[in-house]
Amino acid sequence: MADTDATAGAPGPEDATRTSQGSAPAVAGSVERPIARVLPLLEPVHLDRDFDYRVPPEMDALAQPGVRVRVRFSGRLIDGFVLERLARSEHTGKIVSLDRVVSGERVLTPEILRLVEAVAARYAGTRADVLRLAIPPRHARTEAEEPKPVELPEIPESFPDWERYAHAGSFLAALRAGRGPRAAWQALPGEDWARRLAELAAVVVAGGRSAVLLVPDQRDLDRVLTACTDLVGDAAVGLAAGLGPTARYRRWLAALRGSARVVVGTRSTVFAPARELGLIAIWDDGDDTYAEPRAPYPHAREVAMLRAHETGAAFLAGGFARTAEIQAVVESGWAHDLLAERSTVRQAMPRISAPGDTDTAMERDPIARAVRIPATAFAAARRALAAGDPVLVQVPRRGYIPALACAKCRTPARCRHCNGPLALPDSASGGQGPRTGSRELGIAAVRTASGETAHSPSCRWCGITEAAFRCGSCGSRALRAVVIGAMRTAEELGRAFPGVPIRGSGGSSVLTSVPEGPQVVVSTIGAEPTVPGGYGVALLLDGWALLGRADLRAAEDALRRWMSAAALVRSNGQVLVMAEPSIPTVQALVRWDPVGHAHVELSGRTEVRFPPAVRFVAVDGTTDTIAELLGDARLPAEVEVLGPVPLPFGARKPFSGDTPAEVERMILRVDRSQGAALSRALLAAQAVRSSHRSDGPLRVQIDPVDIG
């Protein structure tokens, strides 16, 4: 396809269609391949096509495949990438020239281009959208810097800690031989997983290839990068948005130019242009930060598997827990297990129990299952503190009391102005909060002499203080705490353990590590700091808040979060999970059986046709935009259409334009064998809407993380 002369009445894409009526002769001059096939970075879906431009002689040396260029399209200057150079164009009309070559750096490698095309096809998106995720913005000064030579230190020939896992020796041998093994690794409790990943990367680097390691957040990135630097020196770099554009682009260029052989980073690092990729590994793939919030909404785990398949590189998914998606590829034979023997697991894991899990325990503490922190948990914490050991307390929610309800009828407390949820501010205690275990909050009890409430609940949406709450259902003015936050929990534990340091980790103040010694660390989920030697006791509170979520992945996510916290406890320590002992997820934690839990979870989803057993598409929009999309789509005959149904306010994602007042969701479900056909049909339907200039709110997400 070729764009036409921009001076002829502002031509558009209709002037740039490829035709089979004949080929234009090669452009005369000294340029051997005078045609550059360019992919402009255009928003409309129907313009996700290649266009041909003439290469002026002065740009011949720089306009090579993979470089950034500026081209004129419909009278506008557009960024783009040169895909290939040709001797002649199939377009029979007039061909305009490239406006300029932005840089001679070939940032779009053939391997990344193939990956971009595969991701766009998988997620019914455009290549332009994927390229914006894959290639960072250019910084000319950084690009002009001379690359620094990197010398590799001596890398050990063997790593004996991997011998605890069955088949790990074969996996490492395959890496050394340059093959592409694929595995799911279940790390032992207390395992130095960052060091293990660094060792795999070092094996690959010793063989002359590169590795890409994906982690959920900056804390994990720092930990893995430190371990990699210890083994391969300056050949390891970290990529994350927090670096700033200049430093990030410098490290990205180091990977492109080959001086960085190990790239550690968050979700977008899955596109890092590592030379001769030998391994791509992802840690804790169930973390929701791996889901890209920008179109076409790819998941880093799926992109990593696509890249491993396309390049033949090795693939590893590691974690303490396991997702149903990884279990599915193991059961399909695409990957194999790296597991430790049960005897090794029992030696490494702490003692895990749920209060009231036996008749004897219930006789000793009849209300163990009813209270938030039972007597057995307090006793275990006191013993650990007396022995000089730290105690970890995991809380699902941050804040003070982030959810309130009517104390009489249990109706959720709502704001009179916007109907948002009411919460008690973080400063509401004033040192006079109710005693441990109490959830009743009398509003009248916190009024000042002037009649105003000193610590009244406020709306979490609009921020307006509700000074005179009255239940809309029963008229009661009393409130009850539905969820206790981390700050309230720390306050209660401070009164229970006077003189013991209480540390908090979560929100804007996340601790990476804490020193040894007797202390209580109250942490929100995912913010648990490490401690040298491990914690003596861990209390996992409010298990019902995790298991009771109306989400397909609630059980899987709860086990993952619990195991991540329990793995920080020393092998002779104790973990108490405050949840119903008979729940299968709790039993999987007690037995430390993530593989069995993932197998049951996958079997259940297969039976009811949920991901990953099927391809699932969520279409969000208004009634009209959803109907328009499906009217233009030629869906496979096997597609099952569910809905549309109104989408709750809290489950809505922002649209590119204004979010409508009423949003609906329609679900499309099809067997995985028909997934590619469904993606093509949806992309074609979006292209039709785009060509008709339909700009109504619409979002198409394939296999979204949160499907309810």
Side-chain angles (χ1 to χ4, degrees):
M1 301 174 218
D3 199 1
T4 54
D5 191 350
T7 62
E14 63 274 6
D15 303 312
T17 17
R18 180 176 291 170
T19 135
S20 58
Q21 297 177 355
S23 297
V27 180
S30 60
V31 180
E32 182 179 355
R33 294 181 179 271
I35 302 299
R37 183 148 292 166
V38 176
L39 175 62
L41 299 184
L42 298 166
E43 292 287 345
V45 180
H46 70 284
L47 295 180
D48 183 27
R49 296 180 289 165
D50 309 338
F51 296 90
D52 291 346
Y53 288 84
R54 180 187 294 111
V55 180
E58 64 272 16
M59 299 183 189
D60 182 31
L62 290 179
Q64 299 301 315
V67 304
R68 308 177 201 251
V69 292
R70 294 277 285 175
V71 296
R72 193 163 293 279
F73 191 92
S74 290
R76 297 183 300 140
L77 280 176
I78 301 295
D79 292 320
F81 292 94
V82 176
L83 301 183
E84 56 181 328
R85 290 282 298 271
L86 304 171
R88 60 183 66 246
S89 172
E90 295 178 1
H91 181 65
T92 56
K94 193 172 183 179
I95 302 176
V96 299
S97 299
L98 297 174
D99 186 79
R100 67 187 178 96
V101 178
V102 176
S103 166
E105 193 79 44
R106 302 172 73 166
V107 293
L108 180 58
T109 65
E111 190 243 312
I112 296 301
L113 177 59
R114 291 193 298 271
L115 178 63
V116 165
E117 293 171 342
V119 171
R122 165 72 168 80
Y123 287 95
T126 65
R127 291 174 295 172
D129 282 340
V130 182
L131 280 169
R132 291 186 184 97
L133 304 176
I135 300 179
R138 175 179 180 256
H139 284 260
R141 183 178 300 176
T142 304
E143 212 169 70
E145 295 175 355
E146 289 293 330
K148 297 179 180 179
V150 174
E151 294 185 7
L152 290 175
E154 185 176 351
I155 298 175
E157 295 183 358
S158 64
F159 299 102
D161 287 315
W162 277 103
E163 296 175 1
R164 297 187 294 172
Y165 301 93
H167 309 301
S170 300
F171 186 84
L172 267 69
L175 286 181
R176 291 190 181 94
R179 298 195 296 271
R182 301 182 290 263
W185 168 46
Q186 293 311 125
L188 287 167
E191 178 67 274
D192 187 356
W193 57 269
R195 177 73 181 188
R196 301 291 85 77
L197 290 179
E199 290 169 352
L200 295 180
V203 170
V204 171
V205 170
R209 291 166 298 143
S210 300
V212 172
L213 308 180
L214 305 178
V215 292
D217 53 38
Q218 185 66 47
R219 287 198 313 159
D220 292 335
L221 191 157
D222 294 338
R223 184 175 176 183
V224 175
L225 183 59
T226 299
C228 290
T229 304
D230 289 342
L231 288 174
V232 299
D234 293 337
V237 298
L239 283 179
L243 288 171
T246 302
R248 185 168 182 263
Y249 191 59
R250 180 179 293 111
R251 298 183 185 188
W252 189 88
L253 282 177
L256 176 69
R257 295 168 175 174
S259 59
R261 308 305 298 270
V262 178
V263 185
V264 186
T266 49
R267 60 173 178 258
S268 62
T269 306
V270 71
F271 295 101
R275 286 193 178 182
E276 299 180 46
L277 183 65
L279 169 69
I280 185 165
I282 182 169
W283 173 259
D284 196 14
D285 66 287
D287 196 293
D288 56 8
T289 59
Y290 285 123
E292 176 59 55
R294 295 170 291 178
Y297 318 107
H299 195 286
R301 174 191 57 237
E302 304 302 317
V303 178
M305 289 193 289
L306 276 174
R307 190 171 184 182
H309 177 75
E310 292 285 335
T311 61
F315 171 81
L316 180 81
F320 295 113
R322 176 174 291 188
T323 60
E325 284 77 9
I326 292 300
Q327 183 64 21
V329 298
V330 170
E331 294 188 7
S332 71
W334 190 82
H336 65 272
D337 279 318
L338 294 183
L339 305 174
E341 298 290 340
R342 284 305 304 174
S343 58
T344 306
V345 174
R346 285 193 292 269
Q347 292 175 1
M349 64 181 287
R351 181 163 57 91
I352 305 175
S353 61
D357 56 353
T358 64
D359 292 339
T360 303
M362 288 299 293
E363 288 179 4
R364 292 176 179 173
D365 190 357
I367 61 171
R369 299 184 187 178
V371 297
R372 184 170 185 248
I373 307 179
T376 53
F378 277 111
R382 288 192 184 96
R383 287 194 299 269
L385 293 171
D389 297 330
V391 173
L392 174 65
V393 180
Q394 185 194 67
V395 184
R397 300 288 293 274
R398 61 188 178 95
Y400 191 73
I401 298 180
L404 296 169
C406 174
K408 183 177 181 181
C409 67
R410 303 298 193 265
T411 300
R414 292 286 178 178
C415 174
R416 289 182 295 173
H417 303 275
C418 70
N419 202 39
L422 294 181
L424 207 60
D426 294 348
S427 59
S429 66
Q432 302 297 323
R435 61 183 175 82
T436 301
S438 174
R439 290 177 180 265
E440 300 296 331
L441 301 167
I443 293 299
V446 293
R447 286 189 175 180
T448 64
S450 62
E452 297 180 354
T453 53
H455 299 295
S456 298
S458 60
C459 178
R460 287 166 47 197
W461 289 358
C462 68
I464 294 178
T465 299
E466 182 59 83
F469 169 79
R470 188 175 294 276
C471 178
S473 298
C474 68
S476 173
R477 300 190 63 190
L479 288 170
R480 180 180 189 271
V482 177
V483 178
I484 304 296
M487 294 189 67
R488 172 69 180 188
T489 302
E491 178 186 290
E492 294 180 352
L493 294 173
R495 291 196 297 268
F497 303 112
V500 176
I502 309 292
R503 301 179 187 272
S505 180
S508 59
S509 57
V510 176
L511 301 177
T512 302
S513 62
V514 294
E516 295 179 283
Q519 59 192 305
V520 176
V521 179
V522 181
S523 171
T524 54
I525 287 175
E528 301 89 355
T530 59
V531 62
Y535 292 92
V537 167
L539 308 180
L540 312 180
L541 304 185
D542 302 333
W544 59 269
L546 291 176
L547 294 171
R549 292 186 301 121
D551 189 273
L552 174 67
R553 295 177 171 82
E556 174 183 282
D557 197 46
L559 182 62
R560 181 181 67 84
R561 295 173 185 273
W562 287 340
M563 284 189 159
S564 295
L568 300 175
V569 180
R570 60 190 60 169
S571 59
N572 61 350
Q574 184 178 5
V575 176
L576 291 96
V577 53
M578 264 48 84
E580 172 59 44
S582 61
I583 297 175
T585 305
V586 178
Q587 287 300 307
L589 174 67
V590 171
R591 298 192 307 271
W592 202 272
D593 185 20
V595 176
H597 186 270
H599 173 74
V600 172
E601 187 77 9
L602 177 61
S603 299
R605 295 190 198 178
T606 302
E607 184 177 351
V608 297
R609 290 177 57 77
F610 277 139
V614 296
R615 186 62 53 84
F616 221 73
V617 182
V619 183
D620 298 347
T622 63
T623 303
D624 293 338
T625 56
I626 293 176
E628 181 184 15
L629 176 75
L630 296 186
D632 295 330
R634 297 182 178 181
L635 301 177
E638 299 83 359
V639 171
E640 186 178 359
V641 181
L642 309 175
V645 297
L647 196 61
F649 189 88
R652 301 178 188 178
K653 301 291 180 63
F655 292 91
S656 56
D658 295 334
T659 300
E662 298 295 330
V663 179
E664 295 185 336
R665 167 168 289 185
M666 178 170 281
I667 297 295
L668 305 178
R669 184 165 61 183
V670 70
D671 291 336
R672 294 190 66 85
S673 60
Q674 297 294 315
L678 177 58
S679 296
R680 288 193 297 269
L682 291 172
L683 183 60
Q686 292 182 81
V688 172
R689 288 188 73 248
S690 174
S691 65
H692 292 167
R693 301 183 183 275
S694 299
D695 57 356
L698 188 73
R699 174 191 299 270
V700 177
Q701 283 188 268
I702 296 181
D703 291 339
V705 172
D706 51 345
I707 63 175

